[in-house]
Amino acid sequence: EQEDKDLYLRIVDKNKDGIIVRGAKAHTTQGPVANEIIVIPTRNMTEKDKDYSVAFAIPANTKGLKLISKPLKASEASLNDPWFIMGKENMETESLTIFDDVFVPWERVFLAGEYQLAGPLAVTFPTYHRFTAISYRTAMADLLIGLGKLLAELNGVDDKSHIRRDIVEIIKYKEILRESAIAASHLSEIDEDTKISIPNRIFTNVGKLVANEGYLDAIKHLVDVAGGLAATLPSSQDFINEEESKYLKKYLVGKKGTDPIIRSKLLSLTREIISSLGALFTTAMIHAEGSIEASVIELYRSYNYEGSKKLAYYASGINDKL
């Protein structure tokens, strides 16, 4: 029976010209449209894992490299829907990337068995990746705030206390992410050898944990503001049809004096976020750039407890000095 570890990318042979690797990497974002595929280890390694301690970069058309892509259902659906903006103009694809005895020349190899370096490399990359996550998710949250506020106004409910709480909860979500990104930048660590700035791991992972755990709550608040039309809104094609359009413009007006087309386009965007693109956004916001557990592990491992423990000893009377 095949061992699970045999599925992981590993070195199966070495020669004077390079290495040969076999295995797979999952969730390769934009891999199918990239020119180069970059590989790093997944975690800390021991000496017995040295064959898995591999990092390199190769052209996407390298012999033996296979990329099996996810379908772009959302963008396909957008082709005949002029209101389907995000799925049409912001496409993203991922692949299961398979290395079927791929040859990598030495000049393209960064790590080949140096297991002591696998952990630092595996930790440093997600720190940058999670920093980008809290940065772009701040912008995503800003979109949710604007969408929620406009719908509240057009629905005529922006003066209701529960609607205000919904919008404030999204504001809180966004601003915690923004503050984390600012703090991670301002209190970054400088690598002594390269002088490269590394985002502060604690603030980065705190922000990422909030981003992962809070996204579905933010969507829940947006849905509460939008109302049922976020799911039941007729097609944009119905607004084009003259016979149907006159009824839709009459009955979907929302607050008196508002433009029903504008309101309906905003509701269409809401539906796009929670349905057609919902699987991508929901899964990405919980797992992309590292799962919830990954941030928990890194925070627990990296946090400096000494000052906190000294304070506890002092407060309990065990020590008389901090």
Side-chain angles (χ1 to χ4, degrees):
E1 185 175 326
Q2 184 184 42
E3 294 185 22
D4 288 343
K5 69 178 184 178
D6 288 340
L7 303 177
Y8 285 85
L9 182 66
R10 63 204 183 279
I11 300 170
V12 294
D13 196 13
K14 292 180 181 179
N15 57 47
K16 64 181 179 65
D17 297 316
I19 61 175
I20 296 175
V21 297
R22 183 186 304 159
K25 291 279 189 180
H27 325 302
T28 313
T29 303
Q30 302 293 53
V33 295
N35 293 326
E36 296 274 338
I37 302 298
I38 301 175
V39 167
I40 64 171
T42 57
R43 59 173 176 80
N44 191 44
M45 301 287 182
T46 63
E47 186 172 3
K48 68 178 181 179
D49 304 316
K50 62 182 181 180
D51 288 341
Y52 301 86
S53 305
V54 60
F56 57 84
I58 53 173
N61 62 351
T62 299
K63 183 180 179 181
L65 186 64
K66 300 176 175 64
L67 287 79
I68 303 177
S69 306
K70 77 167 187 188
L72 289 173
K73 295 297 183 184
S75 58
E76 290 170 10
S78 77
L79 295 178
N80 296 317
D81 189 343
W83 289 6
F84 200 103
I85 304 300
M86 289 190 69
K88 185 186 296 182
E89 298 184 358
N90 298 276
M91 288 183 274
E92 181 178 291
T93 184
E94 291 80 26
S95 67
L96 175 64
T97 305
I98 299 166
F99 300 80
D100 189 6
D101 289 354
V102 172
F103 171 72
V104 186
W106 283 116
E107 62 267 22
R108 284 183 160 269
V109 176
F110 310 132
L111 209 64
E114 297 86 356
Y115 64 90
Q116 304 93 332
L117 299 175
L121 185 55
V123 168
T124 302
F125 166 71
T127 299
Y128 283 105
H129 204 24
R130 290 168 194 165
F131 177 75
T132 63
I134 59 178
S135 301
Y136 83 73
R137 294 182 190 201
T138 298
M140 182 68 183
D142 205 29
L143 172 62
L144 300 182
I145 292 169
L147 195 51
K149 188 65 168 69
L150 285 170
L151 286 172
E153 293 171 358
L154 295 176
N155 288 346
V157 294
D158 57 316
D159 61 338
K160 306 303 179 185
S161 61
H162 70 289
I163 297 297
R164 290 178 175 177
R165 284 198 299 272
D166 282 324
I167 293 173
V168 166
E169 284 298 319
I170 306 175
I171 292 172
K172 182 175 72 175
Y173 174 70
K174 174 210 166 179
E175 292 303 330
I176 291 174
L177 301 190
R178 190 169 74 95
E179 291 160 7
S180 298
I182 292 171
S185 302
H186 184 64
L187 298 175
S188 60
E189 305 159 15
I190 305 298
D191 180 74
E192 292 183 2
D193 295 325
T194 63
K195 306 305 178 186
I196 292 175
S197 178
I198 302 172
N200 182 283
R201 285 187 172 89
I202 299 302
F203 289 114
T204 295
N205 281 280
V206 166
K208 183 60 165 52
L209 197 55
V210 170
N212 284 30
E213 293 180 333
Y215 177 73
L216 288 181
D217 285 332
I219 292 297
K220 177 189 71 176
H221 292 300
L222 175 62
V223 170
D224 192 37
V225 174
L229 275 172
T232 65
L233 184 74
S235 164
S236 60
Q237 301 301 312
D238 294 318
F239 286 86
I240 296 173
N241 182 287
E242 185 176 348
E243 179 63 24
E244 296 168 345
S245 178
K246 65 180 181 181
Y247 293 111
L248 295 178
K249 290 177 180 178
K250 177 180 179 179
Y251 291 109
L252 297 183
V253 67
K255 182 180 178 180
K256 186 177 180 180
T258 62
D259 186 332
I261 297 295
I262 290 176
R263 178 170 177 256
S264 296
K265 284 186 175 182
L266 291 170
L267 286 164
S268 178
L269 174 58
T270 304
R271 180 167 62 185
E272 192 176 347
I273 290 172
I274 64 177
S275 60
S276 54
L277 291 174
L280 171 63
F281 287 163
T282 299
T283 305
M285 293 300 174
I286 293 175
H287 285 293
E289 299 94 21
S291 65
I292 291 173
E293 188 63 17
S295 289
V296 169
I297 291 171
E298 183 59 30
L299 273 173
Y300 192 83
R301 175 174 55 196
S302 300
Y303 197 80
N304 185 347
Y305 297 97
E306 292 310 307
S308 303
K309 290 193 290 187
K310 287 179 181 178
L311 181 59
Y313 275 133
Y314 177 75
S316 62
I318 296 172
N319 292 341
D320 58 1
K321 292 182 179 180
L322 280 174

